[in-house]
Amino acid sequence: QVQLVESGGGLVQAGGSLRLSCATSGRTFSSYYMGWFRQAPGKEREFVAAISWNGGRTVYADSVKGRFTISRDNAKSTVYLQMNSLKPEDTAVYYCAADKSGSNVFAAVLYEYWGQGTQVTVSS
């Protein structure tokens, strides 16, 4: 069982930055691909970014490429999402998730564990 707890969300003006953190429990963090997803009101949950077990591979949605950076610290069992140049359309609840296989990091349905989410609001 893996428990995920996100933090770092908040209200920021367009062009600003936020850093989300996702702390996990358990001793097997390094064996999971980690992903970030987001869900805006009235929209489906969408993929944002993912990172492989050792951080050697990262994948981003086109909408955030060049602005967001995913990273992980296996010693702290934590994954991060650095978000720069934020836009109002980035407003959403952001979720971190864990997937042992990494077979398709874009597919939310394949992630086994989810956090409760953290709200990010970007004002124009």
Side-chain angles (χ1 to χ4, degrees):
Q1 187 76 11
V2 177
Q3 293 183 325
L4 311 177
V5 179
E6 301 97 335
S7 61
L11 173 64
V12 64
Q13 289 189 332
S17 298
L18 282 174
R19 188 194 196 203
L20 305 183
S21 298
C22 174
T24 72
S25 66
R27 296 170 290 178
T28 59
F29 175 75
S30 61
S31 65
Y32 285 86
Y33 259 75
M34 298 299 298
W36 285 96
F37 289 76
R38 65 186 182 187
Q39 188 166 18
K43 295 188 177 181
E44 292 187 355
R45 191 168 297 191
E46 66 172 356
F47 171 81
V48 175
I51 188 166
S52 61
W53 306 286
N54 64 356
R57 177 193 179 212
T58 56
V59 182
Y60 297 92
D62 287 343
S63 59
V64 307
K65 205 172 291 183
R67 299 188 297 123
F68 291 10
T69 302
I70 189 171
S71 61
R72 67 190 296 162
D73 185 337
N74 285 348
K76 296 182 178 179
S77 298
T78 300
V79 62
Y80 305 97
L81 186 68
Q82 177 67 44
M83 304 186 296
N84 299 329
S85 302
L86 282 161
K87 305 175 181 180
E89 50 264 44
D90 294 318
T91 295
V93 177
Y94 283 72
Y95 299 89
C96 69
D99 169 28
K100 204 146 194 180
S101 72
S103 58
N104 183 355
V105 298
F106 302 99
V109 68
L110 296 181
Y111 285 76
E112 299 157 66
Y113 302 103
W114 290 83
Q116 82 290 347
T118 185
Q119 177 70 48
V120 171
T121 303
V122 184
S123 63
S124 57

